[in-house]
Amino acid sequence: MPYDTITDLDQLIRRLQSYNPDAESDFVRRAYEFSAKAHAGQMRQSGEPYLQHPLAVAGLLTALRSDVTAVVAGLLHDTLEDTLATPGELEQLFGKDVARLVDGVTKIGKIQFRNYEEKQAENFRKMVLSMADDIRVVLIKLADRVHNMRTLEHLHETKRQQIAQETLEIYAPLANRLGIGWIKNELEDLCLKYLKPDVYAMLKLRVAKRDEDRQAYIQEVANQVQAALAENGLPCEVQGRPKHLFGIYQKMERQSISFEEVYDLTAIRVITDTKMNCYAVLGLIHSLWRPVPGRFKDYIAIPKSNLYQSLHTTVVGPKGEHVEFQIRTEEMHRIADYGIAAHWKYKERGQVDDKDGKVFSWLRQFVEWHQDLADNRQFMDTVKLDLFHDVVYVFTPKGLVKEMPKGSTPVDFAYAIHTEVGDHCVGAKVNGKIVPLKHQLSSGDAVEILTAPTQVPHKDWLKFVRTSRAKTKIKHWLKIEEQKRSVEIGRRLLEREFRRHDLPPAQLFKSDRLLLVARDLGCESADELAAAVGYGRLPTAQVISRLIPRPGGDRAPTVEETAKSGVPKPVEKGVKVSGGRDLLMQLSRCCNPVPGDRIVGYITRGRGLTIHSVGCPNLEALDYDKERLVDVEWDTSAPSIHGVKVSVLAVDKTGVLANVSASISESEANISRAEITTREDQKAQLDFVIEVNDTAHLDRVLKAIERVDGVIRARRVRAWQAR
Ligand code: MN
């Protein structure tokens, strides 16, 4: 049996050399001895020396016809997890590849499978594949699982159930996905044995009994086929099919039918030499017995996604019973059994037609690449598992797996959990460590989002979020917020106008009179009217002219005119709007004005009043209407603190940074940020953000810096200025 459990080293080496005569037995021997030493004294639950396990795993890898590297890694696969061996040691003794494979297997072993919903299980399988950067890692893991399942009887009942369940949910489907039929079938049957022992025992017994009864009949059908094919010169081999108990159980469960109904089918497999002959065999069988309509499937023209190929047909056999045929070439048979592992060797025979591109999935690519490559070693080195290159799989704190596009950040993750979590996220922990919000997540990461009720979405987040869900949610929030602000600004602009015309604002806003005007102007409500004004879509003059019809037409008074009539009122510490009511305001970031700078206010559409320096090119470049400019001045009654960017050019020598910092502190200014860049010309550029009260204070600081030995010049930097 090629898949049986190997129990000694010589047997292992013989198996390896049977398909790979060049394999160095010495390399394998060294790995075996290292593993023996590392695991010395350890026992399996069965009471066997632990070494039997890695030996068996390596043996199963030879059943998959793995290369020496994978077999050696199989011998060493538990040394990082269970012994004192280190990755460095493995690399030194057995090379980079072996060390990397063992490390990969160890990493996958650490994933906790805690939730078995269908979607979750699928994500786990994908996670395993995406975490392994080499298909051999997954194959070693599968071999490991096969041997553990074969020896499961030695474990405690609860552990047994848990491992069998995990195998059924994750590893058997993984084997199926990789097209390795025998591993899938063996794992499934072993799962059935431990999860449904009664069903397993019943099926085993009935299948054996049935087979005994039917042997003669199957043989008769097989003989007839064999004879007909030989007569027509078609080379072939006719076999009965191995029994897959889990498959029978599944059919009984899914279709709610009896054992007899499932197993009544006589199943026969015909293996021939070429694809053309598969169809010839099919034709012959159909000429012998009448095909059952709707039961013919051409998996040769349209392979399954795991590259399985065969023709399936059911005919009404000699005794009027249904007989199921599978027809395939030897190569297809090998692929059905070995899947991805089939492509390591025999490349000269791997002629698989690739015309029907639409159904060919990733596995197909392995074959195609494989055919271009010079040797198997190179093939395996090149086959990186980038099957899921555009997604990552991460854990929630509850152990659920989320699939995210590659490049996703904690903010994307937060919005994937819930809008509320996204809107209020302030930070994140990845694998227990705090990371910035724009940190990119990797497969296997455990992500925990930190929230604060005061946090709100930031426009800046749009620059790094990856998912459209996060983008939409952030934009939605910003839009609502902008609407709220527009209503507020519009209301204030209107109130100011109303007062100027001796109209009582508070009453007016509640009155039907304003509502009528609003409707007249195409707005549903007074708030909508205010928003239109706030956005700048509607001049206040139009509202006023409808409230107080004037013969002189409806020329709008400018904001400046309006401003002059009002009473000044400070609104933000440090700035007063001449004649203005309190408006939302912020100092513009582009010119970052400081008390002492000449300033001007600009009523933005939806973001309140921004204060710019007079002469700020951004303001001049703005497509603004003069009506939205407002006179503002610094309120010197209450001192305030402002961050200013300062750039210092100095000779690159030790102590300069310290001396400059000291001079800033001595000028009673704080440094809120500092960055030093060494230039090629032996000069250093020091960039600071310094907190000052006003321009006079800033001048003092700059002068103090320039007095420091080695400083060439110090100047204030505005965002618009080239440095
Ligand atoms: Mn193991």
Side-chain angles (χ1 to χ4, degrees):
M1 259 264 289
Y3 316 141
D4 61 354
T5 302
I6 275 186
T7 50
D8 77 80
L9 178 64
D10 292 329
Q11 199 187 354
L12 176 70
I13 291 171
R14 274 200 306 279
R15 281 260 169 99
L16 174 61
Q17 288 180 337
S18 73
Y19 62 88
N20 186 356
D22 300 335
E24 266 182 68
S25 59
D26 222 43
F27 191 33
V28 181
R29 213 171 280 280
R30 275 201 297 123
Y32 176 80
E33 279 156 14
F34 183 90
S35 191
K37 224 179 275 171
H39 291 295
Q42 293 177 2
M43 293 290 201
R44 297 207 95 211
Q45 290 293 330
S46 60
E48 282 179 325
Y50 195 88
L51 187 62
Q52 289 303 313
H53 170 63
L55 186 62
V57 169
L60 287 165
L61 286 162
T62 62
L64 289 168
R65 305 191 144 225
S66 306
D67 61 2
V68 192
T69 313
V71 171
V72 163
L75 283 169
L76 299 168
H77 82 272
D78 275 332
T79 56
L80 287 185
E81 182 70 13
D82 298 340
T83 78
L84 297 172
T86 65
E89 201 175 349
L90 291 186
E91 183 172 339
Q92 209 180 4
L93 291 169
F94 304 101
K96 231 189 179 100
D97 283 356
V98 170
R100 193 171 41 79
L101 292 181
V102 175
D103 192 49
V105 175
T106 310
K107 214 162 63 184
I108 289 178
K110 286 190 177 141
I111 305 178
Q112 289 288 316
F113 304 98
R114 276 186 286 183
N115 186 296
Y116 297 106
E117 280 169 52
E118 203 168 311
K119 175 79 185 148
Q120 283 297 305
E122 179 58 20
N123 281 345
F124 273 120
R125 291 194 285 275
K126 289 182 187 167
M127 178 187 273
V128 169
L129 288 176
S130 70
M131 280 178 72
D133 61 353
D134 188 318
I135 191 68
R136 287 175 294 189
V137 170
V138 181
L139 296 179
I140 296 168
K141 192 66 206 165
L142 284 175
D144 180 43
R145 184 52 59 120
V146 170
H147 187 244
N148 284 338
M149 283 299 293
R150 282 182 183 177
T151 51
L152 200 61
E153 65 196 66
H154 304 292
L155 298 192
H156 290 296
E157 177 62 19
T158 46
K159 195 82 187 148
R160 252 190 247 171
Q161 294 286 319
Q162 190 207 320
I163 291 178
Q165 189 65 33
E166 183 179 280
T167 303
L168 188 63
E169 301 282 353
I170 312 295
Y171 290 101
L174 195 57
N176 184 39
R177 191 175 197 129
L178 295 174
I180 311 171
W182 72 266
I183 291 192
K184 170 194 166 271
N185 289 347
E186 180 171 348
L187 287 180
E188 283 178 347
D189 280 357
L190 286 167
C191 289
L192 189 66
K193 179 173 164 187
Y194 290 104
L195 294 173
K196 306 254 178 202
D198 299 346
V199 176
Y200 180 82
M202 178 275 280
L203 285 178
K204 207 171 167 176
L205 203 74
R206 293 177 82 168
V207 163
K209 175 93 175 56
R210 192 90 189 167
D211 280 356
E212 217 172 278
D213 297 348
R214 297 172 74 88
Q215 210 45 54
Y217 177 67
I218 292 170
Q219 202 51 53
E220 186 194 325
V221 176
N223 288 346
Q224 284 192 41
V225 174
Q226 190 101 52
L229 295 177
E231 210 172 290
N232 287 273
L234 290 170
C236 69
E237 187 188 327
V238 181
Q239 324 170 326
R241 292 220 305 261
K243 303 303 173 285
H244 179 215
L245 300 183
F246 187 82
I248 298 168
Y249 164 70
Q250 234 177 353
K251 263 192 195 160
M252 288 166 61
E253 284 288 294
R254 270 194 202 147
Q255 302 169 20
S256 309
I257 49 179
S258 67
F259 171 80
E260 281 72 22
E261 285 171 283
V262 176
Y263 208 60
D264 246 6
L265 282 176
T266 302
I268 290 179
R269 181 176 293 150
V270 181
I271 293 173
T272 181
D273 57 349
T274 64
K275 193 171 91 177
M276 279 312 295
N277 279 343
C278 290
Y279 291 100
V281 169
L282 176 80
L284 248 166
I285 289 171
H286 281 182
S287 72
L288 283 176
W289 298 293
R290 189 167 54 81
V292 178
R295 294 298 303 269
F296 170 61
K297 292 210 178 76
D298 187 346
Y299 291 120
I300 291 181
I302 303 173
K304 289 188 183 178
S305 65
N306 64 11
L307 221 67
Y308 173 88
Q309 286 190 304
S310 273
L311 299 174
H312 289 189
T313 190
T314 304
V315 298
V316 184
K319 285 185 184 161
E321 281 187 333
H322 284 186
V323 183
E324 211 180 57
F325 281 93
Q326 286 178 354
I327 307 157
R328 50 174 78 152
T329 64
E330 229 171 286
E331 174 63 12
M332 292 170 194
H333 185 48
R334 226 167 44 75
I335 288 174
D337 233 15
Y338 290 94
I340 195 160
H343 301 290
W344 298 29
K345 304 282 166 190
Y346 305 114
K347 59 180 188 277
E348 64 285 355
R349 281 206 257 156
Q351 295 300 322
V352 188
D353 207 327
D354 57 53
K355 268 181 287 181
D356 296 298
K358 57 179 173 155
V359 284
F360 301 155
S361 59
W362 56 271
L363 199 50
R364 161 63 42 127
Q365 293 198 324
F366 283 95
V367 188
E368 286 170 359
W369 294 339
H370 174 48
Q371 286 167 349
D372 296 337
L373 292 169
D375 65 1
N376 292 309
R377 194 187 163 77
Q378 194 187 354
F379 167 63
M380 284 320 300
D381 285 349
T382 314
V383 177
K384 297 296 181 200
L385 270 186
D386 61 349
L387 314 175
F388 303 102
H389 53 90
D390 43 5
V391 286
V392 294
Y393 298 90
V394 294
F395 288 104
T396 69
K398 284 185 186 152
L400 298 181
V401 183
K402 287 259 172 211
E403 178 181 327
M404 309 284 303
K406 193 167 192 163
S408 287
T409 63
V411 177
D412 292 292
F413 181 83
Y415 277 108
I417 304 272
H418 198 278
T419 308
E420 283 289 300
V421 179
D423 281 349
H424 300 300
C425 72
V426 284
K429 278 187 187 172
V430 167
N431 305 323
K433 283 191 202 122
I434 299 258
V435 298
L437 283 177
K438 64 179 174 192
H439 172 89
Q440 296 199 350
L441 302 173
S442 318
S443 274
D445 280 350
V447 189
E448 185 189 340
I449 298 296
L450 312 171
T451 59
T454 50
Q455 173 73 312
V456 292
H458 281 267
K459 210 172 166 186
D460 286 354
W461 292 0
L462 290 170
K463 288 181 197 150
F464 59 75
V465 293
R466 175 74 180 69
T467 54
S468 52
R469 180 179 162 86
K471 275 181 199 154
T472 313
K473 296 287 180 187
I474 296 166
K475 281 184 187 158
H476 178 73
W477 195 92
L478 292 171
K479 197 176 161 200
I480 300 257
E481 201 56 16
E482 190 175 308
Q483 263 165 7
K484 277 196 224 156
R485 286 190 194 143
S486 294
V487 170
E488 205 174 320
I489 290 163
R491 264 178 164 295
R492 286 172 184 169
L493 286 172
L494 285 170
E495 279 173 15
R496 186 163 67 182
E497 282 303 276
F498 293 164
R499 282 215 183 80
R500 220 172 69 82
H501 291 89
D502 294 323
L503 297 165
Q507 288 169 33
L508 207 51
F509 270 107
K510 285 182 222 146
S511 70
D512 286 346
R513 203 170 143 209
L514 191 62
L515 190 61
L516 286 173
V517 171
R519 298 231 165 105
D520 197 27
L521 288 164
C523 300
E524 286 291 309
S525 63
D527 270 357
E528 205 175 295
L529 180 79
V533 172
Y535 269 120
R537 284 195 296 263
L538 182 68
T540 48
Q542 277 200 32
V543 181
I544 297 294
S545 70
R546 276 173 173 72
L547 287 167
I548 317 166
R550 280 191 299 176
D554 54 359
R555 184 193 79 88
T558 65
V559 173
E560 274 151 74
E561 280 174 327
T562 316
K564 274 171 202 139
S565 66
V567 185
K569 186 182 172 194
V571 284
E572 182 184 88
K573 216 168 84 177
V575 182
K576 17 182 203 193
V577 180
S578 318
R581 303 273 304 147
D582 51 333
L583 293 171
L584 280 164
M585 68 165 74
Q586 60 190 22
L587 297 175
S588 129
R589 261 185 245 156
C590 55
C591 49
N592 193 23
V594 171
D597 287 328
R598 285 177 57 215
I599 47 173
V600 63
Y602 178 73
I603 300 170
T604 61
R605 290 161 197 235
R607 279 176 294 108
L609 188 66
T610 51
I611 313 294
H612 289 265
S613 297
V614 170
C616 168
N618 279 353
L619 185 59
E620 275 162 18
L622 270 176
D623 186 19
Y624 62 90
D625 37 11
K626 292 276 189 237
E627 195 185 353
R628 303 178 79 82
L629 285 180
V630 185
D631 279 343
V632 289
E633 60 189 57
W634 295 107
D635 180 359
T636 45
S637 62
S640 51
I641 286 170
H642 301 266
V644 177
K645 281 187 190 160
V646 167
S647 167
V648 178
L649 188 64
V651 180
D652 185 13
K653 62 175 190 181
T654 47
V656 167
L657 180 62
N659 291 339
V660 169
S661 306
S663 74
I664 295 169
S665 308
E666 277 158 23
S667 317
E668 290 167 324
N670 270 332
I671 301 170
S672 63
R673 218 162 61 210
E675 196 182 318
I676 184 159
T677 328
T678 308
R679 309 200 318 186
E680 280 179 15
D681 57 2
Q682 301 298 311
K683 302 216 172 73
Q685 178 165 324
L686 319 172
D687 293 302
F688 295 99
V689 174
I690 297 175
E691 291 170 347
V692 296
N693 296 328
D694 51 29
T695 48
H697 187 191
L698 178 63
D699 283 345
R700 278 209 314 281
V701 175
L702 293 176
K703 289 216 174 83
I705 296 173
E706 286 194 331
R707 280 197 296 271
V708 172
D709 184 29
V711 169
I712 298 161
R713 64 161 186 269
R715 60 185 171 85
R716 177 181 181 187
V717 182
R718 310 254 196 148
W720 80 71
Q721 286 168 334
R723 297 200 326 199

